[in-house]
């Protein structure tokens, strides 16, 4: 779990690279981290917690309950507005909680059912829902999980400097928390090191997610798969604002949309006061969102049917008096000024601070991975773990299919990976070719002519084999390794302050280095390199 958040990939970048390698991690047993959070905010500037656990996970009498724990967490996030708790939704997707269809209404109760924290489900690397992933609604009909992330057969760090794979929402949750850590960092860079409101970060994570499943949010995928690029671009483009709303008050904000955009998602989200445990409806302050188009059309938010007969149905639109987040989606928007109107439908404990964001999806294709800087080993079709995934975003491409290609030289021809990729898919699996290069790029083309390629070059090179290291005398390290095809020279790295620092280089396949502190332990490694 910690490796998914902060793994540096020092032993194997393919398996061990986390989202935020330089983050500072505190580990506690079970829920101790929650109740220690106020003290850790003071002692360590704690911003986020990841929580890969739950209580009574397969007990239908407890699943989805808003109880005293839920209320305490909601109140804590009101008291400490920059603190975001992230929770795994639970692995009870195989549970049947009558009268709901199999798998639904299985989100864990207590922790996961709190309103203000972020609850995360799990998907396969192919974007399909993991069969074990718990689904909503929670007891009072609210949407949970809010988002999903890759959490099945996921490799990460394991004791004794090794890696292993495992499956569960326990692994999609830290992925989301690691991404959230980067959003916190980016916000601080943009705002003189000031911390963001956790509700803003939750807002841009939900609003920037890629819709999966039925159109609009649903009880399986929430608002969709996390997309850090979309989320951070909302922050960087200042496409967000705070509003303060009292009971029966109207507050408006406007934003402009140029011609030719593919779609818009507008989200309203607020940190709601804690409710009394086991209330039929846990929402305390109820805000309403509508968007008025330049043509004067009133656009209402998504609304889900939380009855047992309705949980599998696609979202419709209308007033939502259940959730403390609402989203309006506008397909093929016309150009002009849009007005966001927020009403304090029932604000019992006001004024209520809320966050708005608007994510304008440009008509385009954007290669997401590999986009440059990655280092790949040549793939082996006989080793399933060598399989890689090319990913892209595409908006406004309609029913167009996709073609994926790669090239390994600056002026070389493109080689086809796959054609006629379905219009609703945004990935292609493949095995990296056994072609050593530092000029590797991929390209994605829609059948309507839209196209994008990697912004920068990636590298394909095998790691040196049979690396050995010994100490011929105190303060010295002697290393040797097998040659690597196409390597011009080799760079020796030393693990220092949790990072690999370049120590020296050589064109040979062995080296002796000195100057180390006598009777000390050091970690060293070697990598092949191309000529500059």
């Amino acid at each position: 779990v910690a490796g998914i958040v902060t793994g540096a990939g020092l032993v194997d970048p393919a398996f061990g690279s986390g989202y935020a390698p330089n983050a500072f991690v505190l580990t506690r047993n079970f829920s101790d981290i929650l109740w220690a959070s106020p003290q850790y905010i003071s002692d360590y500037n704690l911003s986020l917690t990841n929580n890969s656990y739950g209580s009574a996970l397969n007990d239908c009498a407890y699943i989805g309950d808003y109880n005293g724990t839920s209320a305490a967490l909601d109140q804590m996030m009101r008291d400490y507005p920059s603190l975001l708790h992230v929770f795994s939704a639970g692995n009870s997707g195989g549970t049947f909680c009558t009268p709901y269809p199999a798998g639904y209404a299985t989100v864990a109760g207590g922790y996961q059912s709190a309103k203000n924290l972020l609850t995360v489900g799990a998907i396969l690397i192919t974007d399909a829902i993991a069969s074990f992933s718990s689904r909503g609604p929670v007891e009072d009909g609210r949407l949970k999980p809010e988002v999903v992330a890759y959490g099945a057969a996921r490799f990460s760090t394991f004791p004794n400097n090794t890696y292993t794979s495992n499956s569960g929402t326990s692994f999609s949750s830290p992925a989301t928390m690691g991404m959230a850590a980067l959003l916190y960092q980016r916000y601080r860079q943009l705002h003189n090191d000031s911390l963001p409101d956790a509700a803003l970060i939750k807002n841009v994570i939900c609003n920037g997610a890629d819709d999966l499943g039925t159109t609009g949010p649903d009880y399986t995928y929430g608002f969709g798969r996390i997309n850090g690029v979309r989320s951070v671009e909302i922050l960087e483009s200042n496409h967000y604002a705070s509003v303060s709303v009292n009971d029966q008050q109207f507050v408006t904000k406007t934003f402009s949309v140029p011609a030719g955009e593919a779609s818009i998602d507008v989200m309203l989200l607020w940190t709601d006061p804690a409710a009394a445990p086991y209330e039929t409806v846990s929402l305390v302050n109820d805000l309403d969102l509508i968007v008025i188009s330049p043509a004067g059309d009133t656009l209402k938010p998504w609304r889900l049917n939380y009855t047992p007969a309705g949980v599998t149905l696609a979202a419709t639109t209308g007033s939502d008096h259940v959730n403390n987040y609402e989203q309006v989606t506008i397909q093929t928007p016309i150009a002009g000024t849009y007005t966001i109107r927020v009403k304090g439908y029932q604000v019992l404990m006001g004024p209520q601070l809320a966050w708005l964001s608007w994510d304008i999806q440009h008509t385009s294709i954007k290669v997401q991975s590999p986009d440059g800087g990655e280092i790949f080993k040549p793939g082996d079709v006989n080793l399933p773990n060598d399989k890689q995934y090319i990913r892209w975003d595409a908006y406004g491409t309609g029913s167009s299919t996709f073609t994926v290609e790669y090239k390994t030289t600056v002026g070389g021809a493109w080689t086809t990976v796959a054609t006629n990729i379905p219009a609703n898919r945004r990935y292609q699996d493949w095995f990296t070719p056994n072609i050593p290069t530092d000029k590797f790029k991929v390209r994605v083309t829609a059948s309507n002519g839209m196209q994008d390629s990697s912004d920068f070059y990636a590298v394909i090179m095998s790691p040196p084999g049979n690396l050995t290291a010994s100490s011929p005398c105190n303060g010295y390290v002697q290393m040797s390794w097998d040659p690597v095809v196409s390597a011009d020279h080799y760079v020796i790295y030393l693990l220092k302050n949790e990072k690999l620092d370049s120590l020296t280089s050589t064109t040979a396949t062995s080296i002796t280095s000195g100057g180390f502190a006598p009777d000390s332990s050091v970690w060293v490694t070697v990598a092949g390199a191309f000529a500059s």
Side-chain angles (χ1 to χ4, degrees):
V1 168
I4 291 172
V5 180
T6 64
L10 300 180
V11 178
D12 191 332
F15 290 155
S17 296
Y19 283 74
N22 292 323
F24 181 64
V25 177
L26 297 164
T27 58
R28 292 294 301 270
N29 184 49
F30 199 58
S31 61
D32 290 351
I33 189 68
L34 297 175
W35 315 123
S37 291
Q39 185 63 47
Y40 286 170
I41 291 171
S42 173
D43 292 348
Y44 301 106
N45 297 317
L46 178 73
S47 298
L48 299 119
T49 72
N50 174 76
N51 305 272
S52 293
Y53 55 83
S55 296
L57 295 174
N58 295 304
D59 183 354
C60 290
Y62 182 76
I63 280 174
D65 281 354
Y66 185 94
N67 62 13
T69 298
S70 314
L73 290 174
D74 280 341
Q75 187 58 49
M76 180 186 293
M77 294 182 67
R78 290 272 293 190
D79 295 338
Y80 300 93
S82 291
L83 174 65
L84 179 59
H85 295 306
V86 183
F87 267 87
S88 54
N91 301 332
S92 303
T95 301
F96 181 31
C97 288
T98 183
Y100 288 91
Y104 286 88
T106 56
V107 170
Y111 305 107
Q112 283 82 351
S113 294
K115 294 175 289 186
N116 298 326
L117 53 79
L118 182 61
T119 305
V120 184
I123 55 173
L124 310 180
I125 200 167
T126 58
D127 292 342
I129 193 67
S131 61
F132 56 78
S133 186
S134 293
R135 305 180 184 190
V138 292
E139 186 69 21
D140 62 355
R142 282 178 293 115
L143 173 65
K144 290 280 181 171
E146 289 96 346
V147 291
V148 292
Y150 170 39
R154 184 160 194 153
F155 276 85
S156 186
T157 51
F158 203 65
N160 301 316
N161 301 304
T162 59
Y163 300 104
T164 192
S165 66
N166 211 331
S167 297
T169 58
S170 289
F171 310 110
S172 55
S173 175
T176 305
M177 187 264 216
M179 188 190 80
L182 299 181
L183 294 173
Y184 269 73
Q185 179 189 31
R186 186 61 179 138
Y187 182 92
R188 294 178 69 170
Q189 291 171 345
L190 295 169
H191 297 277
N192 298 316
D193 211 32
S194 297
L195 280 169
D197 193 310
L200 170 61
I201 299 301
K202 180 179 177 180
N203 182 312
V204 300
I205 290 174
C206 293
N207 205 30
D210 294 325
D211 186 28
L212 298 175
T214 58
T215 300
D218 56 62
Y219 291 119
T220 299
Y221 299 94
F223 290 104
R225 180 192 60 237
I226 59 172
N227 186 327
V229 173
R230 283 181 60 183
S231 295
V232 77
E233 286 178 349
I234 296 173
L235 297 179
E236 292 176 337
S237 59
N238 289 311
H239 286 179
Y240 64 90
S242 63
V243 293
S244 183
V245 189
N246 277 303
D247 190 49
Q248 300 303 308
Q249 182 185 10
F250 290 90
V251 178
T252 61
K253 295 287 182 180
T254 61
F255 66 94
S256 297
V257 176
E261 302 294 4
S263 58
I264 308 167
D265 286 320
V266 179
M267 177 162 283
L268 170 71
L269 186 148
W270 63 99
T271 303
D272 199 48
Y278 304 107
E279 285 281 1
T280 304
V281 177
S282 66
L283 189 64
V284 175
N285 286 342
D286 186 357
L287 308 183
D288 277 351
L289 168 70
I290 63 169
V291 178
I292 302 172
S293 76
D297 297 323
T298 298
L299 310 170
K300 293 186 177 182
W302 293 113
R303 181 174 63 179
L304 289 168
N305 185 335
Y306 55 81
T307 65
V311 292
T312 62
L313 300 176
T316 57
T317 58
S319 298
D320 181 344
H321 300 302
V322 176
N323 296 287
N324 59 320
Y325 32 76
E326 300 186 1
Q327 184 187 51
V328 172
T329 298
I330 308 163
Q331 296 291 348
T332 57
I334 61 175
T337 299
Y338 286 76
T339 300
I340 304 172
R341 190 176 73 171
V342 179
K343 177 186 177 182
Y345 178 81
Q346 180 176 279
V347 182
L348 301 178
M349 299 175 64
Q352 175 64 57
L353 175 69
W355 288 94
L356 292 163
S357 74
W358 48 100
D359 179 25
I360 303 173
Q361 289 106 49
H362 307 297
T363 301
S364 63
I365 295 176
K366 179 66 178 73
V367 171
Q368 296 290 13
S369 176
D371 198 39
E374 298 89 350
I375 300 175
F376 296 102
K377 295 181 290 187
D380 185 338
V381 296
N382 297 310
L383 298 174
N385 290 334
D386 279 2
K387 184 181 289 185
Q388 299 288 339
Y389 286 82
I390 296 168
R391 293 187 177 274
W392 61 94
D393 283 341
Y395 305 104
T397 51
S399 60
S400 295
T401 58
F402 299 98
T403 295
V404 172
E405 305 161 288
Y406 74 90
K407 68 176 181 178
T408 57
T409 59
V410 175
W414 292 94
T415 300
T416 301
V417 175
T419 61
N420 295 317
I421 299 169
N424 62 347
R425 208 170 83 191
R426 300 293 183 266
Y427 70 88
Q428 177 60 41
D429 60 296
W430 77 315
F431 290 86
T432 310
N434 190 10
I435 305 174
T437 180
D438 60 351
K439 298 293 186 292
F440 175 72
K441 282 190 173 186
V442 300
R443 182 171 73 178
V444 178
T445 305
S447 56
N448 68 355
M450 293 169 57
Q451 186 180 89
D452 188 50
S453 60
S454 309
D455 287 339
F456 304 99
Y457 293 113
V459 171
I460 301 174
M461 179 173 279
S462 298
N466 297 316
L467 172 64
T468 62
S470 60
S471 180
C473 55
N474 214 348
Y476 285 82
V477 172
Q478 186 176 61
M479 304 170 60
S480 65
W481 56 90
D482 291 342
V484 176
V485 175
S486 298
D488 173 77
H489 62 285
Y490 301 91
V491 180
I492 314 304
Y493 292 94
L494 171 69
L495 182 61
K496 185 177 181 181
N497 297 325
E498 301 181 358
K499 295 181 180 180
L500 290 177
D501 282 352
S502 175
L503 179 64
T504 186
S505 64
T506 180
T507 57
T509 56
S510 64
I511 194 170
T512 300
S513 296
F516 299 106
D519 301 315
S520 64
S521 296
V522 297
W523 286 85
V524 290
T525 191
V526 62
F530 293 96
S532 18

